[in-house]
Amino acid sequence: MELHDVWFVLIAVLWIGYFFLEGFDFGIGVLTKLLARDRTEKRVLINTIGPVWDGNEVWLLTAGGATFAAFPEWYATLFSGFYLPLLIILVCLIVRGVAFEYRAKRPEEKWQRNWEQAIFWTSLIPAFLWGVAFANIARGVKIDAHMEYVGNFWDLLNPFAILGGLVTLTLFTFHGAVFASLKTLGDIRERARALALKLGLVTAVLALGFLIWTQASRGDTKSLVAMVVAVLALVGAIVAIKVGREGWSFALSGITIAAAVAMLFLTLFPNVMPSSLNDAWNLTVSNASSSPYTLKIMTWCAGVATPIVLLYQGWTYWVFRKRIGTKNIAEAH
């Protein structure tokens, strides 16, 4: 296996890690409106991800940086062609981080309510747009012979991409509801389980349609295996949450995300960004990659840094592993 193939796999792993971890972050943000009944319950939900949300975003930074260094042509075409949706995602992530930090800086109800509105919308919008972006990458976009995107923003809003956005939005919200049931106590935990069951059924219908469409368009035997794993894991997650096995449900919903993302990357390989105009203009792991020397240096750096990142992030989750409920929330002043 060539180094550019290795880095394609590593970038896929980074995106899997990002969507697995940031997925329930986004889901919790959406659930602040769908699940929480009052301000105290919103604080409970936000506190479940308070210690970890910023660490989860490290996976996005690493995935973007790795793409820039390992596949500069892919990075350039992707960020120029998808400029507006990626800019919207970036603005949402900035505002979302500010909202988490500033929400409790002042006691006025209007101040805190406005920041909570920001948390909801800046979680919902990226959860949808990430699906739109990756669905377009898997489907293929208008790339010319010079490796440049020649379409427009409206070309990205096709039925396949919109369905992909709905799948990521519902899947992340389901993932977040399962996480909420795993991390909370009392009535909010029971309602999170009930809502997760409903969301899981909606997600299953949308995801099955999207995965079958993807497989029929560009799939092969490997992607079919990944699709089957994703579907079975999602069904297992729904069954597990129904019988009250929240830990198993969370693990299986995470496997669903991992298998679905893996399927998209498997349908791509050896392309990194197919052209819908001419297959000869596809960006591939070979024509879009950096030099072998650059990839070699990157591999050594990743081999040293990655275990350290995994260790300290795992330690963070271990420290903040306990459940919380409304009784753990101090009275607002």
Side-chain angles (χ1 to χ4, degrees):
M1 181 181 285
E2 299 289 337
L3 277 179
H4 52 62
D5 298 330
V6 172
W7 273 97
F8 179 84
V9 174
L10 291 177
I11 288 171
V13 170
L14 290 171
W15 281 111
I16 288 171
Y18 174 65
F19 287 139
F20 179 93
L21 297 172
E22 192 81 309
F24 67 76
D25 269 9
F26 289 143
I28 291 292
V30 174
L31 291 172
T32 56
K33 269 193 176 297
L34 299 184
L35 179 61
R37 289 178 174 174
D38 53 36
R39 302 288 310 288
T40 302
E41 289 191 351
K42 287 183 180 181
R43 291 170 65 189
V44 170
L45 290 176
I46 293 171
N47 285 356
T48 62
I49 60 172
V52 298
W53 68 267
D54 48 355
N56 294 343
E57 291 187 354
V58 170
W59 290 79
L60 173 62
L61 299 175
T62 308
T67 304
F68 172 77
F71 299 100
E73 293 291 350
W74 183 13
Y75 182 93
T77 304
L78 177 65
F79 277 77
S80 60
F82 291 38
Y83 180 81
L84 184 55
L86 291 178
L87 177 63
I88 293 172
I89 290 173
L90 177 61
V91 171
C92 284
L93 294 180
I94 293 172
V95 173
R96 186 167 173 265
V98 172
F100 283 134
E101 298 296 332
Y102 276 73
R103 179 185 57 86
K105 295 298 183 183
R106 288 171 56 179
E108 293 88 348
E109 182 177 347
K110 183 179 179 181
W111 170 272
Q112 296 189 8
R113 187 172 62 248
N114 287 339
W115 284 120
E116 287 163 0
Q117 288 278 2
I119 290 171
F120 170 76
W121 288 108
T122 57
S123 299
L124 184 147
I125 293 171
F128 175 75
L129 288 181
W130 279 126
V132 171
F134 271 82
N136 274 296
I137 293 173
R139 172 179 176 265
V141 293
K142 294 180 179 179
I143 299 174
D144 64 13
H146 303 290
M147 298 185 179
E148 295 180 359
Y149 178 73
V150 293
N152 56 51
F153 173 74
W154 302 109
D155 291 330
L156 302 178
L157 297 179
N158 53 78
F160 181 74
I162 292 174
L163 178 58
L166 292 174
V167 169
T168 53
L169 175 58
T170 54
L171 181 56
F172 291 168
T173 308
F174 169 69
H175 195 42
V178 174
F179 182 77
S181 70
L182 184 64
K183 289 289 291 180
T184 56
L185 294 165
D187 181 57
I188 191 171
R189 175 187 177 188
E190 298 303 320
R191 285 187 282 111
R193 284 173 52 189
L195 182 58
L197 183 59
K198 296 175 183 177
L199 288 168
L201 296 175
V202 175
T203 302
V205 173
L206 294 173
L208 186 61
F210 177 74
L211 294 176
I212 290 175
W213 193 346
T214 304
Q215 178 65 25
S217 300
R218 291 183 173 273
D220 56 14
T221 303
K222 293 179 181 178
S223 63
L224 178 61
V225 172
M227 185 189 82
V228 171
V229 171
V231 171
L232 292 178
L234 181 55
V235 172
I238 295 170
V239 173
I241 198 65
K242 182 176 177 59
V243 299
R245 301 299 296 272
E246 294 128 337
W248 278 102
S249 183
F250 181 71
L252 288 168
S253 65
I255 292 173
T256 302
I257 293 172
V261 176
M263 178 190 176
L264 292 181
F265 276 89
L266 286 169
T267 60
L268 279 176
F269 189 80
N271 301 314
V272 294
M273 205 166 177
S275 171
S276 60
L277 301 177
N278 191 326
D279 286 343
W281 299 341
N282 291 347
L283 298 184
T284 68
V285 292
S286 55
N287 67 18
S289 68
S290 295
S291 67
Y293 182 75
T294 300
L295 296 177
K296 184 177 180 180
I297 296 297
M298 289 176 60
T299 303
W300 279 105
C301 293
V304 173
T306 301
I308 298 173
V309 173
L310 292 175
L311 283 173
Y312 81 68
Q313 193 163 22
W315 178 79
T316 302
Y317 276 92
W318 174 254
V319 170
F320 295 100
R321 65 189 181 278
K322 293 184 178 180
R323 295 177 182 268
I324 62 171
T326 54
K327 66 178 184 180
N328 303 112
I329 303 298
E331 290 291 333
H333 296 289

